[in-house]
Tab-separated table of all heavy atoms in Angstrom:
chain	number	residue	atom	x	y	z
S	225	ALA	N	0.825	-1.213	0.000
S	225	ALA	CA	0.000	0.000	0.000
S	225	ALA	C	0.859	1.264	0.000
S	225	ALA	O	0.336	2.373	0.033
S	225	ALA	CB	-0.921	-0.002	1.212
S	226	GLY	N	2.186	1.084	-0.026
S	226	GLY	CA	3.076	2.236	-0.084
S	226	GLY	C	3.608	2.706	1.251
S	226	GLY	O	4.361	3.677	1.310
S	227	PHE	N	3.200	2.042	2.348
S	227	PHE	CA	3.668	2.441	3.677
S	227	PHE	C	4.930	1.648	3.996
S	227	PHE	O	4.902	0.619	4.665
S	227	PHE	CB	2.577	2.177	4.714
S	227	PHE	CG	2.909	2.694	6.094
S	227	PHE	CD1	2.987	4.054	6.340
S	227	PHE	CD2	3.140	1.820	7.149
S	227	PHE	CE1	3.292	4.534	7.606
S	227	PHE	CE2	3.445	2.281	8.424
S	227	PHE	CZ	3.526	3.652	8.636
S	228	ASP	N	6.057	2.128	3.485
S	228	ASP	CA	7.306	1.402	3.643
S	228	ASP	C	8.469	2.326	3.296
S	228	ASP	O	8.328	3.249	2.489
S	228	ASP	CB	7.326	0.183	2.716
S	228	ASP	CG	8.416	-0.813	3.066
S	228	ASP	OD1	8.949	-0.746	4.183
S	228	ASP	OD2	8.722	-1.667	2.208
S	229	TRP	N	9.613	2.095	3.914
S	229	TRP	CA	10.808	2.842	3.552
S	229	TRP	C	11.341	2.323	2.225
S	229	TRP	O	11.283	1.125	1.937
S	229	TRP	CB	11.884	2.697	4.631
S	229	TRP	CG	11.647	3.563	5.831
S	229	TRP	CD1	11.539	4.923	5.847
S	229	TRP	CD2	11.493	3.131	7.197
S	229	TRP	NE1	11.326	5.366	7.144
S	229	TRP	CE2	11.302	4.293	7.989
S	229	TRP	CE3	11.511	1.894	7.823
S	229	TRP	CZ2	11.120	4.246	9.355
S	229	TRP	CZ3	11.337	1.835	9.189
S	229	TRP	CH2	11.140	3.002	9.947
S	230	ASP	N	11.887	3.224	1.435
S	230	ASP	CA	12.407	2.828	0.125
S	230	ASP	C	13.925	2.685	0.129
S	230	ASP	O	14.557	2.570	-0.917
S	230	ASP	CB	11.977	3.828	-0.960
S	230	ASP	CG	12.401	5.256	-0.648
S	230	ASP	OD1	13.113	5.446	0.355
S	230	ASP	OD2	12.005	6.164	-1.395
S	231	ALA	N	14.521	2.721	1.330
S	231	ALA	CA	15.967	2.541	1.458
S	231	ALA	C	16.260	1.767	2.732
S	231	ALA	O	15.410	1.663	3.631
S	231	ALA	CB	16.677	3.898	1.485
S	232	LEU	N	17.460	1.205	2.826
S	232	LEU	CA	17.819	0.374	3.973
S	232	LEU	C	18.224	1.203	5.184
S	232	LEU	O	18.011	0.784	6.335
S	232	LEU	CB	18.958	-0.564	3.570
S	232	LEU	CG	19.312	-1.686	4.547
S	232	LEU	CD1	18.113	-2.585	4.804
S	232	LEU	CD2	20.476	-2.501	3.999
S	233	SER	N	18.782	2.378	4.962
S	233	SER	CA	19.312	3.201	6.057
S	233	SER	C	18.292	3.496	7.155
S	233	SER	O	18.580	3.285	8.336
S	233	SER	CB	19.888	4.511	5.496
S	233	SER	OG	20.373	5.328	6.531
S	234	PRO	N	17.076	3.974	6.834
S	234	PRO	CA	16.113	4.239	7.909
S	234	PRO	C	15.651	2.977	8.634
S	234	PRO	O	15.272	3.034	9.804
S	234	PRO	CB	14.952	4.914	7.180
S	234	PRO	CG	15.095	4.554	5.755
S	234	PRO	CD	16.564	4.416	5.520
S	235	VAL	N	15.697	1.844	7.953
S	235	VAL	CA	15.347	0.570	8.586
S	235	VAL	C	16.371	0.247	9.676
S	235	VAL	O	16.013	-0.139	10.796
S	235	VAL	CB	15.305	-0.576	7.548
S	235	VAL	CG1	15.000	-1.906	8.230
S	235	VAL	CG2	14.277	-0.283	6.471
S	236	LEU	N	17.639	0.432	9.363
S	236	LEU	CA	18.700	0.194	10.337
S	236	LEU	C	18.644	1.202	11.482
S	236	LEU	O	18.853	0.850	12.651
S	236	LEU	CB	20.059	0.277	9.644
S	236	LEU	CG	20.355	-0.848	8.640
S	236	LEU	CD1	21.601	-0.517	7.826
S	236	LEU	CD2	20.520	-2.177	9.351
S	237	ASP	N	18.343	2.464	11.133
S	237	ASP	CA	18.220	3.494	12.171
S	237	ASP	C	17.101	3.154	13.146
S	237	ASP	O	17.244	3.335	14.368
S	237	ASP	CB	17.945	4.862	11.527
S	237	ASP	CG	19.146	5.385	10.753
S	237	ASP	OD1	20.260	4.883	10.990
S	237	ASP	OD2	18.960	6.283	9.902
S	238	LYS	N	15.978	2.651	12.610
S	238	LYS	CA	14.840	2.299	13.460
S	238	LYS	C	15.200	1.142	14.384
S	238	LYS	O	14.829	1.140	15.567
S	238	LYS	CB	13.639	1.918	12.586
S	238	LYS	CG	12.371	1.637	13.368
S	238	LYS	CD	11.899	2.865	14.139
S	238	LYS	CE	10.596	2.600	14.863
S	238	LYS	NZ	10.189	3.749	15.714
S	239	LEU	N	15.926	0.163	13.864
S	239	LEU	CA	16.346	-0.974	14.683
S	239	LEU	C	17.242	-0.505	15.821
S	239	LEU	O	17.067	-0.923	16.978
S	239	LEU	CB	17.073	-2.001	13.817
S	239	LEU	CG	17.669	-3.212	14.541
S	239	LEU	CD1	16.609	-3.954	15.341
S	239	LEU	CD2	18.348	-4.148	13.544
S	240	GLN	N	18.192	0.380	15.521
S	240	GLN	CA	19.080	0.900	16.547
S	240	GLN	C	18.299	1.691	17.598
S	240	GLN	O	18.554	1.577	18.804
S	240	GLN	CB	20.146	1.802	15.912
S	240	GLN	CG	21.175	2.333	16.892
S	240	GLN	CD	21.928	1.236	17.614
S	240	GLN	OE1	22.330	0.243	17.000
S	240	GLN	NE2	22.130	1.388	18.916
S	241	GLU	N	17.317	2.447	17.135
S	241	GLU	CA	16.462	3.224	18.052
S	241	GLU	C	15.716	2.300	19.003
S	241	GLU	O	15.627	2.575	20.211
S	241	GLU	CB	15.477	4.059	17.227
S	241	GLU	CG	14.464	4.840	18.048
S	241	GLU	CD	13.385	5.473	17.185
S	241	GLU	OE1	13.706	5.903	16.059
S	241	GLU	OE2	12.215	5.516	17.633
S	242	GLU	N	15.186	1.216	18.476
S	242	GLU	CA	14.419	0.281	19.303
S	242	GLU	C	15.329	-0.409	20.329
S	242	GLU	O	14.927	-0.651	21.472
S	242	GLU	CB	13.719	-0.757	18.429
S	242	GLU	CG	12.690	-0.207	17.449
S	242	GLU	CD	11.511	0.466	18.135
S	242	GLU	OE1	11.411	0.438	19.381
S	242	GLU	OE2	10.669	1.037	17.416
S	243	ILE	N	16.557	-0.731	19.943
S	243	ILE	CA	17.499	-1.358	20.873
S	243	ILE	C	17.824	-0.397	22.011
S	243	ILE	O	17.882	-0.788	23.189
S	243	ILE	CB	18.787	-1.776	20.127
S	243	ILE	CG1	18.487	-2.917	19.153
S	243	ILE	CG2	19.864	-2.214	21.128
S	243	ILE	CD1	19.653	-3.291	18.262
S	244	GLU	N	18.026	0.865	21.667
S	244	GLU	CA	18.309	1.875	22.687
S	244	GLU	C	17.140	2.031	23.656
S	244	GLU	O	17.335	2.244	24.862
S	244	GLU	CB	18.632	3.209	22.019
S	244	GLU	CG	19.975	3.200	21.274
S	244	GLU	CD	20.194	4.455	20.452
S	244	GLU	OE1	19.297	5.333	20.448
S	244	GLU	OE2	21.259	4.560	19.807
S	245	GLU	N	15.918	1.899	23.146
S	245	GLU	CA	14.736	2.011	24.011
S	245	GLU	C	14.649	0.822	24.964
S	245	GLU	O	14.179	0.958	26.098
S	245	GLU	CB	13.481	2.142	23.158
S	245	GLU	CG	13.392	3.489	22.435
S	245	GLU	CD	12.142	3.627	21.590
S	245	GLU	OE1	11.302	2.688	21.617
S	245	GLU	OE2	11.999	4.655	20.905
S	246	VAL	N	15.082	-0.345	24.495
S	246	VAL	CA	15.127	-1.516	25.381
S	246	VAL	C	16.078	-1.237	26.540
S	246	VAL	O	15.745	-1.442	27.718
S	246	VAL	CB	15.592	-2.777	24.619
S	246	VAL	CG1	15.888	-3.912	25.613
S	246	VAL	CG2	14.537	-3.233	23.643
S	247	MET	N	17.269	-0.757	26.218
S	247	MET	CA	18.273	-0.511	27.244
S	247	MET	C	17.836	0.600	28.200
S	247	MET	O	18.159	0.562	29.394
S	247	MET	CB	19.610	-0.155	26.594
S	247	MET	CG	20.202	-1.289	25.760
S	247	MET	SD	20.146	-2.905	26.587
S	247	MET	CE	21.133	-2.581	28.048
S	248	ALA	N	17.090	1.572	27.677
S	248	ALA	CA	16.588	2.643	28.543
S	248	ALA	C	15.630	2.071	29.585
S	248	ALA	O	15.648	2.468	30.763
S	248	ALA	CB	15.896	3.704	27.705
S	249	GLU	N	14.790	1.129	29.172
S	249	GLU	CA	13.845	0.498	30.108
S	249	GLU	C	14.593	-0.414	31.088
S	249	GLU	O	14.265	-0.462	32.275
S	249	GLU	CB	12.794	-0.300	29.341
S	249	GLU	CG	11.801	0.537	28.550
S	249	GLU	CD	10.936	1.412	29.441
S	249	GLU	OE1	10.818	1.117	30.651
S	249	GLU	OE2	10.371	2.401	28.927
S	250	VAL	N	15.591	-1.153	30.583
S	250	VAL	CA	16.366	-2.059	31.443
S	250	VAL	C	17.117	-1.283	32.521
S	250	VAL	O	17.209	-1.704	33.679
S	250	VAL	CB	17.355	-2.884	30.597
S	250	VAL	CG1	18.331	-3.653	31.499
S	250	VAL	CG2	16.608	-3.863	29.696
S	251	ASN	N	17.636	-0.111	32.148
S	251	ASN	CA	18.437	0.701	33.070
S	251	ASN	C	17.629	1.736	33.839
S	251	ASN	O	18.214	2.579	34.552
S	251	ASN	CB	19.563	1.404	32.299
S	251	ASN	CG	20.546	0.408	31.690
S	251	ASN	OD1	20.869	-0.599	32.314
S	251	ASN	ND2	21.010	0.686	30.480
S	252	ALA	N	16.314	1.698	33.716
S	252	ALA	CA	15.462	2.653	34.429
S	252	ALA	C	15.585	2.434	35.937
S	252	ALA	O	15.867	1.315	36.388
S	252	ALA	CB	14.010	2.492	33.984
S	253	PRO	N	15.389	3.490	36.742
S	253	PRO	CA	15.480	3.351	38.203
S	253	PRO	C	14.559	2.276	38.757
S	253	PRO	O	14.906	1.565	39.706
S	253	PRO	CB	15.067	4.746	38.696
S	253	PRO	CG	15.404	5.653	37.561
S	253	PRO	CD	15.129	4.874	36.322
S	254	ASP	N	13.390	2.157	38.153
S	254	ASP	CA	12.431	1.139	38.587
S	254	ASP	C	11.956	0.380	37.341
S	254	ASP	O	10.876	0.649	36.813
S	254	ASP	CB	11.246	1.797	39.307
S	254	ASP	CG	10.286	0.769	39.892
S	254	ASP	OD1	10.698	-0.409	40.043
S	254	ASP	OD2	9.125	1.138	40.160
S	255	PRO	N	12.765	-0.570	36.852
S	255	PRO	CA	12.448	-1.256	35.588
S	255	PRO	C	11.086	-1.944	35.610
S	255	PRO	O	10.716	-2.578	36.597
S	255	PRO	CB	13.579	-2.288	35.453
S	255	PRO	CG	14.672	-1.776	36.328
S	255	PRO	CD	13.985	-1.087	37.468
S	256	SER	N	10.354	-1.793	34.521
S	256	SER	CA	9.059	-2.452	34.361
S	256	SER	C	9.219	-3.619	33.391
S	256	SER	O	9.619	-3.416	32.239
S	256	SER	CB	8.022	-1.468	33.820
S	256	SER	OG	6.887	-2.144	33.317
S	257	GLN	N	8.901	-4.819	33.868
S	257	GLN	CA	9.043	-5.988	33.007
S	257	GLN	C	8.116	-5.894	31.804
S	257	GLN	O	8.474	-6.305	30.691
S	257	GLN	CB	8.742	-7.269	33.807
S	257	GLN	CG	9.169	-8.550	33.106
S	257	GLN	CD	10.677	-8.615	32.871
S	257	GLN	OE1	11.459	-8.066	33.641
S	257	GLN	NE2	11.085	-9.273	31.799
S	258	ALA	N	6.919	-5.348	32.011
S	258	ALA	CA	5.969	-5.196	30.909
S	258	ALA	C	6.516	-4.238	29.857
S	258	ALA	O	6.376	-4.476	28.646
S	258	ALA	CB	4.631	-4.696	31.438
S	259	ALA	N	7.144	-3.149	30.315
S	259	ALA	CA	7.705	-2.168	29.382
S	259	ALA	C	8.893	-2.767	28.621
S	259	ALA	O	9.051	-2.531	27.419
S	259	ALA	CB	8.143	-0.920	30.138
S	260	ILE	N	9.709	-3.554	29.307
S	260	ILE	CA	10.846	-4.203	28.651
S	260	ILE	C	10.351	-5.173	27.582
S	260	ILE	O	10.875	-5.215	26.464
S	260	ILE	CB	11.721	-4.940	29.686
S	260	ILE	CG1	12.386	-3.939	30.631
S	260	ILE	CG2	12.777	-5.792	28.987
S	260	ILE	CD1	13.123	-4.584	31.793
S	261	GLU	N	9.325	-5.938	27.938
S	261	GLU	CA	8.740	-6.879	26.974
S	261	GLU	C	8.214	-6.142	25.746
S	261	GLU	O	8.406	-6.580	24.602
S	261	GLU	CB	7.607	-7.675	27.629
S	261	GLU	CG	6.943	-8.660	26.677
S	261	GLU	CD	5.763	-9.387	27.315
S	261	GLU	OE1	5.361	-8.999	28.427
S	261	GLU	OE2	5.246	-10.324	26.696
S	262	ASP	N	7.576	-5.024	25.971
S	262	ASP	CA	7.014	-4.232	24.884
S	262	ASP	C	8.123	-3.752	23.937
S	262	ASP	O	7.993	-3.833	22.706
S	262	ASP	CB	6.261	-3.036	25.455
S	262	ASP	CG	5.530	-2.241	24.385
S	262	ASP	OD1	4.642	-2.824	23.731
S	262	ASP	OD2	5.854	-1.053	24.185
S	263	GLU	N	9.220	-3.278	24.512
S	263	GLU	CA	10.329	-2.778	23.695
S	263	GLU	C	11.061	-3.908	22.976
S	263	GLU	O	11.498	-3.746	21.833
S	263	GLU	CB	11.315	-1.986	24.569
S	263	GLU	CG	10.742	-0.734	25.207
S	263	GLU	CD	10.238	0.285	24.187
S	263	GLU	OE1	10.603	0.182	22.990
S	263	GLU	OE2	9.466	1.178	24.572
S	264	ILE	N	11.179	-5.063	23.628
S	264	ILE	CA	11.777	-6.227	22.975
S	264	ILE	C	10.939	-6.617	21.755
S	264	ILE	O	11.470	-6.968	20.687
S	264	ILE	CB	11.888	-7.421	23.951
S	264	ILE	CG1	12.989	-7.166	24.987
S	264	ILE	CG2	12.167	-8.716	23.196
S	264	ILE	CD1	14.400	-7.240	24.444
S	265	GLY	N	9.625	-6.561	21.906
S	265	GLY	CA	8.725	-6.852	20.782
S	265	GLY	C	8.984	-5.917	19.611
S	265	GLY	O	8.991	-6.337	18.442
S	266	ASP	N	9.220	-4.627	19.918
S	266	ASP	CA	9.514	-3.651	18.862
S	266	ASP	C	10.827	-3.978	18.162
S	266	ASP	O	10.954	-3.810	16.943
S	266	ASP	CB	9.574	-2.238	19.454
S	266	ASP	CG	8.208	-1.717	19.887
S	266	ASP	OD1	7.195	-2.307	19.463
S	266	ASP	OD2	8.160	-0.740	20.654
């Protein structure tokens, strides 16, 4: 339907962003297992 990136670079950037969000949840002062699971899914 056209909802897609047309290059690989933003795909890699998004993956890196999602990994960073996982680590942000893991290193949070009060880590939430549900939030970590959600970010791992992403």
